[in-house]
Amino acid sequence: MSDTFFSGAPHWAWLIILYFFVGGIAGGACFLAAVVDWFGGPEDRPVVRTGYSVAAWGAILSGALLTIDLGRPLRFWHMLFQSANVPALMFKGWSPISFGAWAILVFGLFAVLSALGGMAEEGRLHNPALRAVGGAVRGGLAKVVGGVAGLLGVFIAGYTGILLSVTNRPIWADSPWLGALFVASGASTGAAALILLAPGRGATEQSLARLSAFDTKALVVELLVLVLFVASLGSVNRVWIGFWGLVLLVGVVGLGIVAPLRLHLQRRPLASAAKLVLLGGFLLRVATILASEGIERYRVAAGM
Amino acid sequence: MPEPMGFFTDTTVCIGCKACEVACKEWNQLPAENGGIRELSGDSYDNTRRLDGIHWRHVRFIEQFKGPYDGRWLMMSDVCKHCVQAGCLEVCPTGAIIRTEFDTVVIQSDVCNGCRACIAACPFGVIDINPVSGTAQKCTLCYDRLKVGLEPACSKACPTDSIQFGSIVELRTRAQKRVDQLKSQGVKAELYGADPNGALGGLNSFYLLVDQPEVYGLPRNPQLPTRNLAKSSSFSLASAAVLGVLALVGLRKRRMDDMGGPGAGGSN
């Protein structure tokens, strides 16, 4: 039996699952927006602007979800500053949760600046202060700010998986592939969110087809990493015999990866595939987190 | 500077009286569960079942019965191991978990914000949230008592000296003598966590066991959570690099399409 079965469950449930999902979308969408920002053409601007907006709202929602989930929400700032020694910073580079707290803050800052830049570009900012900030983020500066946000986005999408691996819990600590899996899922769900939202801001058919082509590749990578993840679990795989295994197989692999891949190959409407990708991304977090959460140490020890 | 202090728990003399559990609850003013209305486990005299935020001591009852006349009870008073290399302390993002001058590991309740990273990091399942404070809590090895020269409440209350408190160096010597004594009597006794070169740099609360560690609900080879950090990060970076290249290649191809140059061809 893996030694991880003797640890206790941290009660990371729906708020954390939602955060992992939203953070993945925000990070993935921001990364894609930055790539298109740097290497795309003028006709791709709606995708870029949508991506930065998804990142900004995602970062804000992520911060809110994480704060509400704390046992003492008003002490959220203890993650950032030494509570007895303000303004000394609280930072542990080897602790993903500490690193992540800072990353979300900085990612949120850069994503909001990029989103404001995009909104100013569209002439949608009416508040003078916001218009001034948004107006300043343009040209070369906008590319640098967006590029930093994009790189941080990749981190935000993946560090949550690393965070789970840097524990002593079953499944999470039994495989080194969760971070890689969440990166791939962040890319696929980020692209899916852009496919669904970018048309509202004037994205062209060509831009959407390009995103869809990327999403196909991201789903293939995700499936490969998922296979590696399951293979690396070895004997721990017995935890999947049950409801969460069914969710992983039918919900994540079937509905979330294989079905949208088939739709892409058949060149069916992009929105249907994108919705399935989002569903699969959500169920991936649900299955990996709740399958481990359900394992209670004292029951394992008692052979129940 | 005080020397490292801790517990040596000799499970062979534990009688399962739970005086340690009561003393711990009383001294640390830990609340009752469910307002004192507790469901019985129904299959054991062990109704506490586990260590958590309001049970910092737990007497584990292991019932090994092959038939009506062939069996034994193993009893072990479980507690935080105060690891020399502590996983909880390692990951705590607020700095709430500290190492004291007695080489024990303590959670400062006024700093903890209840993120629960330490719960998942502990290889022994020791820590949990205290619903009253909303913060993660566990045994402090009675830090407040140690500060004024008193021994922890549990070991003070233990009527058989199954829980012994003292300096780690002295406890290790005492524990080895006890193992030798038991072995000379034909008992298969082993120490768990006493080796400073062993897992987690040794445990400042270590045990004498007469069966496999798993039987007592203890991992055979407890490890630090950061053992996975480098590998997990590398694989994530590799995944990000592959996806980054895929995204860039797609765009490059499009540019070539636009230019109508060599390699142009509709992949999109």
Side-chain angles (χ1 to χ4, degrees), chain B residues 39-221:
Chain B
E39 225 175 87
L40 300 180
S41 61
D43 59 358
S44 167
Y45 287 116
D46 174 8
N47 293 309
T48 307
R49 301 316 295 258
R50 54 181 160 323
L51 289 168
D52 59 31
I54 55 173
H55 300 100
W56 298 355
R57 267 278 172 197
H58 165 224
V59 180
R60 185 181 288 278
F61 286 56
I62 298 127
E63 293 151 36
Q64 297 179 320
F65 287 88
K66 293 171 190 160
Y69 306 108
D70 181 15
R72 64 175 178 175
W73 259 312
L74 301 177
M75 288 156 188
M76 182 187 89
S77 183
D78 199 6
V79 72
C80 169
K81 314 301 178 287
H82 296 277
C83 315
V84 173
Q85 294 162 14
C88 58
L89 190 155
E90 189 178 46
V91 300
C92 175
T94 63
I97 304 183
I98 56 163
R99 185 168 297 285
T100 71
E101 64 271 37
F102 303 105
D103 204 23
T104 58
V105 179
V106 169
I107 303 177
Q108 303 172 96
S109 206
D110 59 332
V111 180
C112 174
N113 65 10
C115 76
R116 311 190 292 286
C118 55
I119 301 176
C122 173
F124 304 101
V126 163
I127 311 172
D128 211 336
I129 291 291
N130 180 332
V132 176
S133 66
T135 61
Q137 293 196 349
K138 67 168 191 72
C139 162
T140 65
L141 217 136
C142 280
Y143 181 67
D144 50 349
R145 291 174 65 94
L146 261 57
K147 285 290 275 185
V148 293
L150 295 172
E151 75 170 294
C154 54
S155 59
K156 181 84 177 168
C158 180
T160 64
D161 265 354
S162 172
I163 304 169
Q164 297 177 37
F165 166 76
S167 90
I168 289 297
V169 175
E170 202 233 308
L171 286 176
R172 281 184 186 141
T173 311
R174 206 186 297 173
Q176 195 51 55
K177 275 187 190 163
R178 175 65 178 155
V179 167
D180 295 342
Q181 182 191 33
L182 286 167
K183 281 187 171 169
S184 72
Q185 293 169 0
V187 179
K188 285 182 190 169
E190 295 287 344
L191 291 180
Y192 179 87
D195 182 3
N197 301 314
L200 305 176
L203 309 177
N204 282 346
S205 174
F206 61 95
Y207 297 81
L208 186 154
L209 309 177
V210 293
D211 207 328
Q212 300 301 310
E214 291 89 345
V215 171
Y216 295 87
L218 297 167
R220 181 167 294 271
N221 181 29

Side-chain angles (χ1 to χ4, degrees), chain A residues 53 112-137 201:
Chain A
S53 288
V112 166
L113 284 175
S114 295
L116 287 175
M119 289 171 80
E121 195 177 299
E122 291 172 322
R124 286 170 57 188
L125 289 175
H126 303 300
N127 180 300
L130 292 179
R131 197 163 55 218
V133 175
V137 185
R201 289 172 84 160

Side-chain angles (χ1 to χ4, degrees), chain A residues 1 3-4 6-13 16 31-32 35-36 38-41 43-44 69-73 75-84 90-98 154 158 161-163 165-169 172-181 183-185 187 206 209-210 213-214 217-218 221 225 267 296-298 301-302 304, chain B residues 43 49-51 58 60 78 81 87-95 97 108-129 132-135 213-229 231-233 235-237 239-240 242-251 253-255 258 266-268:
Chain A
M1 183 192 296
D3 280 331
T4 55
F6 298 96
S7 59
H11 323 297
W12 288 337
I16 296 296
F31 167 68
L32 290 174
V35 170
V36 177
W38 275 77
F39 302 102
E43 73 280 8
D44 294 323
D69 185 68
L70 292 173
R72 298 292 290 262
R75 294 184 185 171
F76 72 93
W77 61 274
H78 288 198
M79 299 265 197
L80 304 170
F81 298 98
Q82 295 174 20
S83 57
M90 186 64 228
F91 178 72
K92 288 182 179 177
W94 58 88
S95 169
I97 198 164
S98 174
V154 180
I162 300 173
L163 186 155
S165 287
V166 182
T167 63
N168 264 307
R169 287 296 295 160
W172 307 345
D174 289 314
S175 169
W177 286 103
L178 262 182
L181 183 59
V183 167
S185 175
Q206 208 184 6
R210 226 167 278 139
F214 172 78
K217 292 168 193 157
V221 173
V225 179
R267 301 194 181 280
E296 291 180 85
R297 172 205 183 221
Y298 76 97
M304 286 188 275
Chain B
D43 59 358
R49 301 316 295 258
R50 54 181 160 323
L51 289 168
H58 165 224
R60 185 181 288 278
D78 199 6
K81 314 301 178 287
C88 58
L89 190 155
E90 189 178 46
V91 300
C92 175
T94 63
I97 304 183
Q108 303 172 96
S109 206
D110 59 332
V111 180
C112 174
N113 65 10
C115 76
R116 311 190 292 286
C118 55
I119 301 176
C122 173
F124 304 101
V126 163
I127 311 172
D128 211 336
I129 291 291
V132 176
S133 66
T135 61
E214 291 89 345
V215 171
Y216 295 87
L218 297 167
R220 181 167 294 271
N221 181 29
Q223 296 180 76
L224 286 172
T226 46
R227 71 186 181 281
N228 292 325
L229 184 59
K231 210 171 180 183
S232 191
S233 303
F235 288 3
S236 303
L237 269 175
S239 174
V242 169
L243 289 158
V245 168
L246 288 174
L248 288 174
V249 164
L251 286 162
K253 193 178 260 183
R254 182 194 62 77
R255 283 194 162 176
D258 287 353
S267 74
N268 299 323

Side-chain angles (χ1 to χ4, degrees), chain A:
Chain A
M1 183 192 296
S2 168
D3 280 331
T4 55
F5 282 82
F6 298 96
S7 59
H11 323 297
W12 288 337
W14 292 106
L15 289 173
I16 296 296
I17 289 168
L18 202 55
Y19 159 62
F20 282 11
F21 177 59
V22 170
I25 292 174
C30 194
F31 167 68
L32 290 174
V35 170
V36 177
D37 194 1
W38 275 77
F39 302 102
E43 73 280 8
D44 294 323
R45 294 304 298 168
V47 171
V48 175
R49 293 192 289 263
T50 309
Y52 290 146
S53 288
V54 168
W57 286 112
I60 292 165
L61 183 57
S62 296
L65 287 168
L66 286 174
T67 302
I68 297 165
D69 185 68
L70 292 173
R72 298 292 290 262
L74 293 178
R75 294 184 185 171
F76 72 93
W77 61 274
H78 288 198
M79 299 265 197
L80 304 170
F81 298 98
Q82 295 174 20
S83 57
N85 195 22
V86 180
L89 301 183
M90 186 64 228
F91 178 72
K92 288 182 179 177
W94 58 88
S95 169
I97 198 164
S98 174
F99 210 112
W102 277 103
I104 292 164
L105 187 74
V106 181
F107 170 67
L109 184 70
F110 279 84
V112 166
L113 284 175
S114 295
L116 287 175
M119 289 171 80
E121 195 177 299
E122 291 172 322
R124 286 170 57 188
L125 289 175
H126 303 300
N127 180 300
L130 292 179
R131 197 163 55 218
V133 175
V137 185
R138 62 181 177 185
L141 178 66
K143 282 202 171 183
V144 172
V145 172
V148 173
L151 289 175
L152 285 167
V154 180
F155 180 85
I156 293 295
Y159 97 94
T160 47
I162 300 173
L163 186 155
L164 291 179
S165 287
V166 182
T167 63
N168 264 307
R169 287 296 295 160
I171 303 173
W172 307 345
D174 289 314
S175 169
W177 286 103
L178 262 182
L181 183 59
F182 282 12
V183 167
S185 175
S188 68
T189 53
L194 289 180
I195 289 168
L196 289 174
L197 296 173
R201 289 172 84 160
T204 61
E205 287 289 325
Q206 208 184 6
S207 293
L208 295 178
R210 226 167 278 139
L211 278 173
S212 173
F214 172 78
D215 211 10
T216 305
K217 292 168 193 157
L219 285 171
V220 172
V221 173
E222 188 178 344
L223 186 59
L224 286 174
V225 179
L226 183 60
V227 169
L228 290 169
F229 164 66
V230 172
S232 67
L233 288 175
S235 64
V236 176
N237 272 313
R238 68 189 171 92
V239 299
W240 298 119
I241 301 169
F243 180 69
W244 298 122
L246 198 68
V247 172
L248 191 72
L249 191 66
V250 177
V252 179
V253 178
L255 292 175
I257 298 177
V258 176
L261 276 177
R262 277 194 62 181
L263 288 175
H264 283 174
L265 289 175
Q266 292 167 355
R267 301 194 181 280
R268 299 280 277 276
L270 298 177
S272 314
K275 283 174 191 166
L276 284 172
V277 171
L278 289 177
L279 175 70
F282 180 68
L283 291 179
L284 174 68
R285 273 68 170 193
V286 171
T288 46
I289 292 175
L290 294 186
S292 179
E293 275 286 337
I295 298 165
E296 291 180 85
R297 172 205 183 221
Y298 76 97
R299 288 186 183 279
V300 171
M304 286 188 275

